[in-house]
Amino acid sequence: MTAPTPLLLLHHSGGSAQIFHELIDALPDTVAPLAWELPGRGRRWREPPVTTIEDAVADLLHATDRFEGDFVVFGHSLGAYLGLALAATLDERRGSARCTTLFASSNAAPRCAALPSEHPPLLLDDEQTYAMARRAGGRIDPRIREHPMLGPQTARLLRSDFALTDTFLRGHRDAATRADIVTVCGTDDIFTTRQLTSWQAHTTGRHELLPFPGGHFYLEQQARALASAIAPRTAPVTDRRQEIPCTPIP
């Protein structure tokens, strides 16, 4: 019997692994999901947050210590950049664990992405931080934003996450991996076709574009359809390439 394929789930800026609840419930037994949260996020809220892509990847490598061989990454929004940085790092190390497919969800390809701000994100005030989140397609519940304690805490977390994007784009914009890349998006999101198809430039493998109805958080409404698309693409590489025809996006 073939063991389930590990699926590392990486969430968006200002969020937590809770975003993947519906998706995890919809996945078949052939997939073993691991929803990872960086220091300062979600269940790890007591830890000092990481603010550079290098420190984030160092933390993510602890997640891959649980994998003995091939695994797959689904990175949503910020998570797409974290997944690419992790996959590229593992390619260089050539160890036992490697990412075979990166699902890059709801984000522009790094080569044609804009920096989150003209100024270092960690120096922004709360209102500037929330405005940046809105421009990126994110949403903050007004009850949280206006809360005297949760509002400032959420803004600090967002600044830390935007700093991850900032350090990634400034230092690793041309990162590439041997893993296949599947760009997943909501048809009503803010990204252009060029920004989505340009993910092809970040892999020496294959590229595929999978659109779903919805906006930046399409995965909340499309969990079952998304799980059905992910499952066959997590099969062992030899089996997957026989079973799933895929034409690279021109």
Side-chain angles (χ1 to χ4, degrees):
M1 181 177 179
T2 304
T5 301
L7 172 64
L8 181 63
L9 299 164
L10 306 175
H11 65 78
H12 58 291
S13 295
S16 71
Q18 182 65 29
I19 189 71
F20 298 120
H21 178 74
E22 298 294 334
L23 175 60
I24 290 173
D25 286 347
L27 287 168
D29 293 339
T30 56
V31 181
L34 172 61
W36 192 259
E37 292 171 323
L38 293 173
R41 286 80 172 169
R43 291 162 293 184
R44 302 177 68 182
W45 65 271
R46 291 183 177 87
E47 302 177 46
V50 293
T51 57
T52 69
I53 195 66
E54 292 80 13
D55 287 343
V57 169
D59 187 82
L60 291 173
L61 288 172
H62 292 303
T64 67
D65 288 342
R66 308 181 183 199
F67 309 144
E68 296 182 357
D70 294 352
F71 67 96
V72 175
V73 174
F74 184 98
H76 182 68
S77 197
L78 165 64
Y81 291 165
L82 295 174
L84 177 57
L86 174 63
T89 298
L90 290 173
D91 286 345
E92 293 177 358
R93 292 189 171 200
R94 298 183 180 272
S96 59
R98 71 183 182 112
C99 175
T100 57
T101 298
L102 166 63
F103 291 88
S105 171
S106 294
N107 211 336
R111 286 191 180 181
C112 56
L115 291 170
S117 172
E118 296 179 1
H119 308 287
L122 295 177
L123 299 182
L124 300 178
D125 62 29
D126 290 359
E127 287 306 314
Q128 291 171 319
T129 302
Y130 286 131
M132 187 190 307
R134 289 191 294 271
R135 289 194 299 271
R139 61 174 187 234
I140 304 296
D141 189 318
R143 292 171 296 181
I144 294 177
R145 189 175 63 242
E146 296 167 7
H147 192 279
M149 291 183 60
L150 294 179
Q153 291 175 359
T154 301
R156 283 196 296 271
L157 178 57
L158 280 168
R159 281 192 288 272
S160 297
D161 285 343
F162 289 142
L164 295 181
T165 295
D166 185 80
T167 57
F168 175 73
L169 292 178
R170 290 184 188 277
H172 307 277
R173 186 182 289 272
D174 292 326
T177 177
R178 291 180 292 163
D180 294 338
I181 294 182
V182 181
T183 302
V184 197
C185 62
T187 53
D188 298 326
D189 208 342
I190 62 174
F191 304 108
T192 66
T193 300
R194 175 177 172 271
Q195 288 177 316
L196 296 170
T197 58
S198 290
W199 275 99
Q200 184 177 11
H202 296 277
T203 176
T204 58
R206 302 187 309 165
H207 178 251
E208 183 180 3
L209 178 62
L210 286 180
F212 289 89
H216 195 64
F217 294 97
Y218 70 92
L219 69 168
E220 293 179 304
Q221 293 77 39
Q222 304 295 330
R224 290 188 179 277
L226 181 58
S228 296
I230 289 174
R233 293 169 174 82
T234 62
V237 174
T238 52
D239 295 343
R240 190 188 332 144
R241 288 182 174 172
Q242 292 173 1
E243 295 175 1
I244 303 176
C246 175
T247 303
I249 302 297

